Amino acid sequence: MSTLFDQLTEKVSSADKKIVFPEGLDERILTAASQLGSAGVLTPILIGNKDSISKKAEEIGIDVSSCTILDPNDYAEIEEMVQAFVERRKGKATEEDARKILLDENYFGTMLVYLNKADGLVSGAAHSTADTVRPALQIIKTKEGIKKTSGVFIMVRNDEKYVFADCAINIAPDSQDLAEIAVESAVTARLFDVDPRVAMLSFSTKGSAKSEETERVVEALNIAKEKDADLIIDGEFQFDAAFVPSVAEKKAPDSVLKGDANVFIFPSLESGNIGYKIAQRLGGFEAVGPILQGLNKPVNDLSRGCSSEDVYNLAIITAAQAAAE
């Protein structure tokens, strides 16, 4: 794990990225932001009242002099932000609405990213996933050709690295969703120096069972191939056929994958969430994420039970996503 983040830190340290932390009074956020800023890894932007943040930092012995602190209540460029928000929401918010909404730290922080005053955002230490993701979907929005954002985990054990998706966002993805998740997961894999070999998972391998569920995966495979003709991808696969060479030889001898898949697309959130937790708890893998993908600019969601180390690591991932754009 340390090697993984050493590599990412090296990538982002020279990129001079600015990452927004809307939860500027959270002790874990302050600790991680101080470490990131003082080490010169990135420039943290803390959202909140400057006096309150400075007082909190002093109380816990944290130096935030390397961080930028912005307060929505006295932000010098708030009028520019209000106008940009109204325009972006296309009639769904008046100027009066915008002034109220932008007092919310997550909306304010997301607008900083949208206006290119920051490169990415990390939130969720004290907010729900919806509080973090909703502003991103309304303002930053998904990339062209992508209808929905999705969440991946990088599963790490010693020198092994695999990508599991979607394990965080889409409960019942349709074929189009699964195809988008597959293509975007390959992009995320490359960010972590994983050369993607993508398996579309199911309870069937190459037609061994027929159902609405298996046909949805087959259709997703075809759509994904149209989206990225160069992508090494195949399915539908049971996990063992995608991962074990001897099983692959028996069940799918003609596949481009030979039991060497490293990006695994689960057919539902239920299966993805169960799958990554089994690998984590029984297989001894560390689960890095969830990492949100598919947005025009990176926004990532912390668990409310996160540690300062989790904040630090997710900020580095967010900066790496920004640097890769």
Side-chain angles (χ1 to χ4, degrees), residues 1-17 32 35-43 191-193 309 311-321 323:
M1 180 73 92
S2 60
T3 302
L4 172 68
F5 281 100
D6 287 345
Q7 292 170 346
L8 286 179
T9 300
E10 187 176 342
K11 283 183 180 180
V12 305
S13 292
S14 60
D16 191 28
K17 295 301 178 184
Q35 292 169 344
L36 288 161
S38 61
V41 177
L42 53 85
T43 300
L191 181 67
F192 291 88
D193 295 323
E309 183 181 6
V311 178
Y312 187 100
N313 288 341
L314 193 57
I316 289 175
I317 289 171
T318 306
Q321 288 178 297

Side-chain angles (χ1 to χ4, degrees), residues 84-93 107 110-111 113-115 132-150 180 184 292-299 325:
F85 182 84
V86 171
E87 181 180 345
R88 188 61 166 167
R89 296 298 289 140
K90 295 179 179 178
K92 295 180 180 178
Y107 273 96
T110 302
M111 281 300 294
V113 178
Y114 173 64
L115 293 172
T132 300
V133 176
R134 187 184 301 111
L137 292 177
Q138 291 178 355
I139 298 165
I140 294 173
K141 302 187 179 182
T142 54
K143 297 176 184 175
E144 185 176 353
I146 301 292
K147 292 183 179 179
K148 297 178 181 177
T149 187
S150 54
E180 291 177 3
E184 285 298 300
L292 299 186
Q293 58 186 18
L295 292 166
N296 278 309
K297 295 188 178 182
V299 169
E325 290 181 347

Side-chain angles (χ1 to χ4, degrees), residues 56-308:
K56 178 72 173 180
E58 186 177 350
E59 287 173 356
I60 61 176
I62 296 297
D63 179 8
V64 292
S65 61
S66 61
C67 304
T68 299
I69 302 175
L70 297 179
D71 185 348
N73 290 285
D74 63 6
Y75 182 56
E77 299 173 44
I78 192 64
E79 288 308 314
E80 175 192 349
M81 185 178 283
V82 166
Q83 294 303 319
F85 182 84
V86 171
E87 181 180 345
R88 188 61 166 167
R89 296 298 289 140
K90 295 179 179 178
K92 295 180 180 178
T94 64
E95 288 188 16
E96 184 180 355
D97 294 332
R99 287 191 177 87
K100 292 178 182 177
I101 292 169
L102 291 173
L103 292 177
D104 179 283
E105 54 266 33
N106 279 307
Y107 273 96
F108 180 82
T110 302
M111 281 300 294
L112 290 174
V113 178
Y114 173 64
L115 293 172
N116 295 318
K117 299 180 186 299
D119 300 292
L121 179 146
V122 173
S123 188
H127 290 88
S128 69
T129 295
D131 288 336
T132 300
V133 176
R134 187 184 301 111
L137 292 177
Q138 291 178 355
I139 298 165
I140 294 173
K141 302 187 179 182
T142 54
K143 297 176 184 175
E144 185 176 353
I146 301 292
K147 292 183 179 179
K148 297 178 181 177
T149 187
S150 54
V152 308
F153 280 87
I154 310 301
M155 308 302 295
V156 182
R157 186 177 64 185
N158 300 323
D159 293 332
E160 296 176 86
K161 287 184 287 189
Y162 305 103
V163 177
F164 284 16
D166 177 358
C167 305
I169 302 293
N170 296 288
I171 295 174
D174 60 23
S175 295
Q176 182 70 37
D177 297 334
L178 288 171
E180 291 177 3
I181 292 166
V183 172
E184 285 298 300
S185 296
V187 174
T188 300
R190 295 186 188 100
L191 181 67
F192 291 88
D193 295 323
V194 174
D195 188 15
R197 301 179 64 82
V198 185
M200 307 295 291
L201 297 180
S202 180
F203 59 84
S204 165
T205 298
K206 292 295 185 180
S208 63
K210 291 281 187 180
S211 72
E212 181 181 337
E213 290 80 7
T214 63
E215 289 303 308
R216 182 170 67 247
V217 176
V218 172
E219 183 182 357
L221 172 67
N222 294 329
I223 296 171
K225 286 180 176 179
E226 290 176 6
K227 286 179 171 290
D228 186 349
D230 296 326
L231 185 61
I232 298 174
I233 183 171
D234 205 359
E236 84 284 14
F237 281 128
Q238 293 160 289
F239 184 83
D240 57 354
F243 190 68
V244 182
S246 60
V247 177
E249 187 176 354
K250 292 177 182 177
K251 292 188 174 183
D254 298 325
S255 173
V256 65
L257 298 178
K258 306 296 181 184
D260 56 358
N262 51 26
V263 178
F264 301 95
I265 309 305
F266 292 84
S268 67
L269 180 59
E270 183 176 49
S271 60
N273 188 271
I274 291 169
Y276 101 78
K277 288 184 181 294
I278 288 175
Q280 182 183 37
R281 301 301 180 180
L282 294 184
F285 280 85
E286 292 193 61
V288 179
I291 302 164
L292 299 186
Q293 58 186 18
L295 292 166
N296 278 309
K297 295 188 178 182
V299 169
N300 280 307
D301 178 44
L302 293 158
S303 163
R304 276 173 280 183
C306 67
S307 65
S308 60

